[in-house]
């Protein structure tokens, strides 16, 4: 299965945080699954770290290396096709990073691993 991981779920998985659900752990940790990360997620993290709104337990570059090398998560590029979905997307969720993740999941027809139940209003499959 291919699955896109929301920013907070990605962080909680790498950090081993107990906030992550069993379902999310099983999905992300299953070596048979293709786990994907959006550039929107690492862009959001970098911005929030710079603004002092978020702190990692390791240097940012080490975190990125961990997700790409240690866990071998793939990157789902942001394509023009994904942004087309944004044009008619209702504003159930106003966060621009999350809206892009939703558009990517919807366009790719893949589930998203996220605790954010506002994603459900968009007709995508959410794993939590």
């Amino acid at each position: 299965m291919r699955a896109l991981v929301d920013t907070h779920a990605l962080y909680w998985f790498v950090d081993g945080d107990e906030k992550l659900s069993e379902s999310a752990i099983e999905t992300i940790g299953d070596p048979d699954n293709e786990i994907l990360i959006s550039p929107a997620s690492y862009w959001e993290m970098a911005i929030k770290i710079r603004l002092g709104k978020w702190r990692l337990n390791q240097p940012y570059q080490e975190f990125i290396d961990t997700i790409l090398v240690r866990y071998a998560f793939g990157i789902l590029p942001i394509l023009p096709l994904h942004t087309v979905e944004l044009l008619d997307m209702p504003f159930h969720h106003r966060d621009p990073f999350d809206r892009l993740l939703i558009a990517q999941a919807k366009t790719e027809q893949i589930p998203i691993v996220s605790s954010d139940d506002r994603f459900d209003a968009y007709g995508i499959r959410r794993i939590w």
Side-chain angles (χ1 to χ4, degrees), residues 1-125:
M1 166 178 56
R2 294 174 75 217
L4 182 62
V5 179
D6 192 4
T7 310
H8 66 273
L10 173 65
Y11 175 70
W12 292 342
F13 181 81
V14 172
D15 197 43
D17 196 304
E18 62 187 33
K19 294 177 197 151
L20 200 61
S21 73
E22 281 300 316
S23 221
I25 293 168
E26 289 172 12
T27 300
I28 298 169
D30 185 338
D32 292 331
N33 289 339
E34 180 183 5
I35 302 303
L36 301 169
I37 307 303
S38 172
S41 289
Y42 48 84
W43 177 32
E44 177 183 21
M45 290 177 73
I47 289 170
K48 287 184 176 181
I49 290 166
R50 177 65 181 106
L51 293 174
K53 293 182 177 184
W54 202 348
R55 297 188 66 138
L56 296 176
N57 292 332
Q58 59 187 301
Y60 175 78
Q61 187 59 54
E62 286 180 26
F63 180 85
I64 296 300
D65 290 345
T66 297
I67 63 174
L68 297 178
V69 178
R70 179 177 172 198
Y71 293 115
F73 296 158
I75 295 174
L76 178 60
I78 298 169
L79 303 174
L81 182 62
H82 299 141
T83 62
V84 169
E85 184 67 36
L86 295 168
L87 295 174
D88 294 321
M89 184 183 285
F91 281 96
H92 303 301
H93 203 308
R94 296 209 174 263
D95 181 292
F97 299 107
D98 288 341
R99 288 178 60 77
L100 187 51
L101 293 174
I102 292 163
Q104 286 184 287
K106 193 166 187 174
T107 302
E108 297 291 323
Q109 298 180 8
I110 58 176
I112 188 162
V113 179
S114 178
S115 67
D116 192 338
D117 60 5
R118 292 176 291 176
F119 286 21
D120 298 343
Y122 292 97
I124 59 172
R125 180 172 165 228

